[in-house]
């Protein structure tokens, strides 16, 4: 029987086999812990993180509302850096709840993916 972590790692490997980020269209990856949510824009060709943000400074609202605030924040930082298009990497997590909320808020903030 496989554990939740093994299942997520299998999904993650499958996703990473298909997508890759470039300087023009970086990979937007999400990491979600029990308390926080983190997001980065990564250029895989250069191996560098271009923009990153997290929920560490945000303490108001539910986890889903906080994820939406992080999505808006990453969109604002990306637009400042001149990035308008990204490739979304959900990092093996299901696309609902906090991950979906972050993605929708980033789209509303001006990112295209």
């Amino acid at each position: 029987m496989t554990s939740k972590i093994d299942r997520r790692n299998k999904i993650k490997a499958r996703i990473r086999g298909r997508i890759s980020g470039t300087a023009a269209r970086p990979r937007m990856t999400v990491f979600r812990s029990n308390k926080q949510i983190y997001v980065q824009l990564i250029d895989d060709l250069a191996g560098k993180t271009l923009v990153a943000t997290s929920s560490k400074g945000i303490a108001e609202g539910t986890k889903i509302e906080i994820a939406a605030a992080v999505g808006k924040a990453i969109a604002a930082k990306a637009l400042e850096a001149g990035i308008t298009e990204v490739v979304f990497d959900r990092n093996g997590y299901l696309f609902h709840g906090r991950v979906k909320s972050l993605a929708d808020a980033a789209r509303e903030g001006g990112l295209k993916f």
Side-chain angles (χ1 to χ4, degrees):
M1 185 169 175
T2 61
S3 69
K4 249 191 222 187
I5 295 170
D6 293 337
R7 179 181 172 280
R8 184 177 149 254
N9 285 335
K10 264 171 110 172
I11 295 169
K12 182 177 174 178
R14 195 176 329 131
I15 291 169
R16 286 291 290 122
R18 293 181 187 151
I19 65 171
S20 180
T22 63
R25 194 166 181 211
R27 178 171 55 98
M28 180 173 147
T29 185
V30 175
F31 175 74
R32 151 180 95 77
S33 71
N34 287 336
K35 291 186 177 182
Q36 308 292 339
I37 191 159
Y38 306 85
V39 62
Q40 298 179 26
L41 299 183
I42 301 170
D43 176 7
D44 288 317
L45 299 178
K48 296 199 176 196
T49 298
L50 305 174
V51 179
T53 191
S54 72
S55 62
K56 285 203 172 181
I58 306 167
E60 295 288 323
T62 64
K63 289 180 182 180
I64 291 177
E65 292 167 351
I66 291 171
V70 171
K72 288 180 184 176
I74 195 71
K77 283 186 175 183
L79 293 176
E80 278 181 24
I83 300 167
T84 57
E85 289 190 14
V86 296
V87 179
F88 188 69
D89 178 8
R90 59 190 171 92
N91 211 6
Y93 301 110
L94 298 178
F95 190 77
H96 68 87
R98 289 191 280 165
V99 176
K100 184 175 190 289
S101 174
L102 187 141
D104 291 342
R107 282 189 186 110
E108 287 173 14
L111 287 180
K112 293 181 180 141
F113 52 96

